[in-house]
Amino acid sequence: MRDCYCTVNLDQEEVFRTKIVEKSLCPFYGEDFYCEIPRSFRHLSFYIFDRDVFRRDSIIGKVAIQKEDLQKYHNRDTWFQLQHVDADSEVQGKVHLEMRLSEVITDTGVICHKLATRVLECQGLPIVNGQCDPYATVTLAGPYRQSKKTKLKRDRQPPFDEDLGSSNCSLFSSFKLNLCYLLLLRFRVDLWNASNLKFGDEFLGELRIPLKVLRQSSSYEAWYFLQPRDNGSKSLKPGDLGSLRLNVVYTEDHVFSSDYYSPLRDLLLRSADVEPVSASAAHILGEVCREKHEAAIPLVRLFLHYGKIVPFISAIANAEVKRTQDPNTIFRGNSLTSKCIDETMKLAGMHYLQVTLKPIIEEICQVHKSCEIDPVKLKDGENLENNMENLRQYVDRIFNVITKSGVSCPTVMCDIFFSLRESAAKRFQGDLDVRYTAVSSFIFLRFFAPAILSPNLFQLTPHHTDPQTSRTLTLISKTIQTLGSLSKSKSVSLLACFSSLLRAFCFLKVKPLSFKYFGGKTFASLACPISNRFMIKRAQGRKRFGMKNFKKRWFRLTNHEFTYQKSKGNKKDQPLYSIPIENILAVEKLEEESFKMKNMFQVIQPERALYIQANNCVEAKDWIDILTKVSQCNKKRLTVYHPSAYLNGHWLCCKATCDTTPGCTPCTGGLPANIQLDIDGDRETERIYSLFNLYMSKLEKMQEACGSKSVYDGPEQEEYSTFIIDDPQETYKTLKQIIAGVGALEQEHAQYKRDKFKKTKYGSQ
């Protein structure tokens, strides 16, 4: 048996790691990882490791999916055969190459051909054993093999710019080679990392380029991706290593500038003001999409970005309430309204969820109290009454923290709940409880209960919980659902939680009104932990004779300060250094050339900059984003910064000698002040355009239905009955504008593809 874990890598850089499944040859992980990919990459790779307590963990195998192939496996379970991991096959980076073929007349008057190759530069080479000192060799494959070698460059992106003659006149003269024969040859470029170890230099990758690329012109220039070594050795059968089951969801959007999206974006943002709302562009998107969540995700993000989510959700919720006949079924279906509110809570309420539930969830995972109340599932030695008491205490504590969490709830959620309550109360005036059940169906059943059931999906735990803890959380979640639904069933009385039920009523009565007035203090008055992680920082030289070396520290961010200390320790320990949020002037990437280290960023303060190295590119981007967001409202934020460090008496980027010289590069664009939101409005509009374009046939059918209804007003055809059309004429106008806007964007995309195809040169990039 083996103790295995899996890593997720962009090329060779690890960005995620699963838990370890012990003593199994068929481990199941069931873990979900999500990230915005912050850099270009060639392969999405998955490595399987066997943990070894006494030695270095051994690699069992890997799965590497090319970027171009990710769409083939989009959103479907696929079994991949594990491949062997060979050091010579682990390559990354690219080479900029130039070749020239010229005629040379020898002393005897014979015309020969001379091939000159120039390695201009390399990019994205890996760091090997903490350093990268690359050099290149160029070899011409011919009757007499010839090689040339560049000088050593201590840089991951070295500008070699060396002219390497791969042949000379006498060679071709003696063999009387003509041009046709020469074009049948090929030459090879090998990149190596000069190593100080006794095992020799490390292979970084190679290129094998046929000289027929010079057939049309005597000079040629192109970028090439480095390839694994072609040594002709027989590899072992991949089936010997087993297989890995993955579900990869990969989206890539080609986003134009804002001007292109103005007509469609403005049409969408007017949706809340359209009467009836069913004739609006946003509602129509929900009608034509196969799954409501497809439409809800980009719509919510777009309306949040422009601050119009509350009026939009209020409009579609009010329309849904008017169509609801039974108060017991209010907001219980998978409608566009419920999906939009779910997505809003997921985006705006994640931090609120962590502040409220994370401490007690962590305690449940660590203590392992048994809460099993099914007599059939009781283990030997367990007592049913004790288990019921444990469950009752957990439920009571969780309900207590929920009902006392009012001040932490984001304002946008409070405003939405207030709107739901008012719509429900107005529609069902004879049912006094409906104003509470309308809100509880979201706050308890769709927000807190799912987070308790699957805490890893809401970042409350790093991995899936063990079976016993999972069973405990399932029982707690079911009880919360029962209480949250405001049901007076026997199961509630059995668990002696009637006091919790009363608190739930009080919570829902007070919540919308109190939040209406005090919701603006969501984060400003609370020092809530936002993120913490071990990272490496460079000493800032605050002491006169201190060394500016690199040290590993535990970083912690709240909405008041950014601190670090030596160890994780106790949250009450005094930090070694603290940066008040109001003192953060900018947070930007730091160029690798500064310290020959990747994934670095800088937190710029009035007197100095703190240089930090994250563990990978995804983590670095996350820290830059969240630090930028919490400091976005600072009045003294910089507009320019230095992308490189100040070393040896000057800035490496602009060569200015004074350390107080203003920056030489504009700071990156501003982000929303809300901690939880980092939304690109143009990208979301592009996603909505893609959905409209995908379901164009349904849009046309809906247009036909509107025409039929408005002209004939006859019986509805079966193929049109799936659409909600309250006002055929208004809906028809909106559909016409949508189709025109989508058509214009489609033409721009087609033109972009044509232009890109024309500009593409021969070469693998």
Side-chain angles (χ1 to χ4, degrees), residues 92 122-127 131-134 153-158 592 596-599:
Q92 66 183 64
C122 299
Q123 289 184 3
L125 300 180
I127 291 179
Q131 51 90 39
C132 187
D133 301 331
K153 302 286 183 178
R154 299 185 182 277
D155 194 344
R156 289 188 66 225
Q157 300 184 6
E592 288 183 21
K596 309 300 182 194
M597 298 167 67
K598 58 182 180 178
N599 304 323

Side-chain angles (χ1 to χ4, degrees), residues 97 158-159 301 307 326 338 429 431 440 496 516 581 583 732 740:
L97 213 60
R301 295 174 70 87
D326 184 356
S338 60
Q429 297 181 8
D431 191 333
S440 68
K516 198 71 177 174
I581 294 299
N583 285 358
Y732 187 91

Side-chain angles (χ1 to χ4, degrees), residues 515-582:
F515 288 174
K516 198 71 177 174
Y517 296 104
F518 305 113
K521 298 180 181 179
T522 303
F523 294 121
S525 61
L526 299 172
C528 303
I530 297 172
S531 187
N532 44 57
R533 190 67 61 90
F534 272 113
M535 292 188 290
I536 295 173
K537 65 96 185 176
R538 182 176 185 260
Q540 302 177 78
R542 298 191 308 278
K543 297 179 181 178
R544 186 171 183 179
F545 301 104
M547 294 180 62
K548 292 187 178 181
N549 53 359
F550 290 87
K551 294 182 179 179
K552 189 174 184 179
R553 292 290 182 257
W554 176 255
F555 284 83
R556 185 169 183 263
L557 172 65
T558 71
N559 56 349
H560 280 179
E561 60 182 355
F562 182 50
T563 64
Y564 63 78
Q565 55 197 53
K566 284 188 176 181
S567 59
K568 186 174 180 180
N570 194 320
K571 295 178 182 178
K572 297 181 181 179
D573 291 347
Q574 289 298 316
L576 295 174
Y577 187 65
S578 171
I579 304 175
I581 294 299
E582 58 267 22

Side-chain angles (χ1 to χ4, degrees), residues 1 49-50 138 160 201 214 323 331 334 356 454 457 463 500 506 509 536 551 575 588 652 655 685 750:
M1 306 300 263
F49 288 86
D50 185 9
V138 181
F160 288 106
D201 297 345
L214 293 168
R323 290 193 294 269
F331 299 129
N334 288 323
T356 306
S454 304
L457 298 182
H463 300 293
S500 295
C506 297
K509 284 180 180 178
I536 295 173
K551 294 182 179 179
E588 300 286 348
L652 297 181
K655 310 303 179 185
T685 312

Side-chain angles (χ1 to χ4, degrees), residues 592-762:
E592 288 183 21
E593 65 178 15
S594 299
F595 302 106
K596 309 300 182 194
M597 298 167 67
K598 58 182 180 178
N599 304 323
M600 291 200 71
F601 63 94
Q602 51 183 320
V603 181
I604 304 172
Q605 312 162 68
E607 66 279 5
R608 63 177 67 87
L610 174 62
Y611 299 131
I612 304 172
Q613 183 189 35
N615 295 305
N616 55 62
C617 60
V618 172
E619 187 177 303
K621 180 181 182 299
D622 289 344
W623 275 104
I624 292 172
D625 286 350
I626 199 165
L627 284 168
T628 302
K629 291 169 199 170
V630 296
S631 61
Q632 188 66 38
C633 296
N634 292 350
K635 296 179 180 179
K636 296 182 179 180
R637 280 189 61 84
L638 298 178
T639 56
V640 291
Y641 78 105
H642 292 284
S644 293
Y646 183 81
L647 297 173
N648 302 322
H650 69 276
W651 293 100
L652 297 181
C653 43
C654 59
K655 310 303 179 185
T657 55
C658 180
D659 61 350
T660 58
T661 302
C664 57
T665 303
C667 289
T668 53
L671 297 170
N674 190 320
I675 292 173
Q676 297 301 320
L677 305 179
D678 178 11
I679 298 171
D680 183 342
D682 296 331
R683 178 177 177 175
E684 301 310 323
T685 312
E686 168 66 26
R687 172 62 34 197
I688 292 171
Y689 147 76
S690 299
L691 289 170
F692 274 135
N693 198 38
L694 179 64
Y695 295 108
M696 181 57 70
S697 60
K698 286 191 174 183
L699 286 174
E700 292 169 350
K701 280 188 177 181
M702 197 172 186
Q703 201 173 27
E704 291 176 11
C706 291
S708 175
K709 271 195 165 190
S710 59
V711 175
Y712 300 106
D713 199 22
E716 195 169 43
Q717 297 182 31
E718 189 175 341
E719 59 181 319
Y720 301 149
S721 61
T722 56
F723 303 129
I724 295 176
I725 302 175
D726 296 321
D727 187 331
Q729 292 183 344
E730 194 66 32
T731 307
Y732 187 91
K733 291 178 184 178
T734 305
L735 283 164
K736 190 175 180 180
Q737 292 175 292
I738 292 172
I739 293 172
V742 171
L745 281 170
E746 177 63 17
Q747 290 181 1
E748 295 294 342
H749 278 279
Q751 185 61 46
Y752 168 77
K753 291 177 182 177
R754 286 194 294 269
D755 294 343
K756 186 177 180 182
F757 180 76
K758 289 178 183 177
K759 295 175 183 177
T760 301
K761 288 184 177 181
Y762 183 90

Side-chain angles (χ1 to χ4, degrees), residues 296-305 343 347 678-679 684:
I297 293 173
L299 284 175
V300 166
R301 295 174 70 87
L302 181 70
F303 282 102
L304 272 172
H305 180 69
E343 187 64 22
L347 286 172
D678 178 11
I679 298 171
E684 301 310 323

Side-chain angles (χ1 to χ4, degrees), residues 10-11 37 39-44 65 67 70 250:
L10 294 175
D11 294 323
I37 299 177
R39 63 171 177 84
S40 60
F41 69 102
R42 290 172 60 183
H43 293 89
L44 180 65
I65 309 174
K67 179 183 177 182
L70 284 172
Y250 175 74

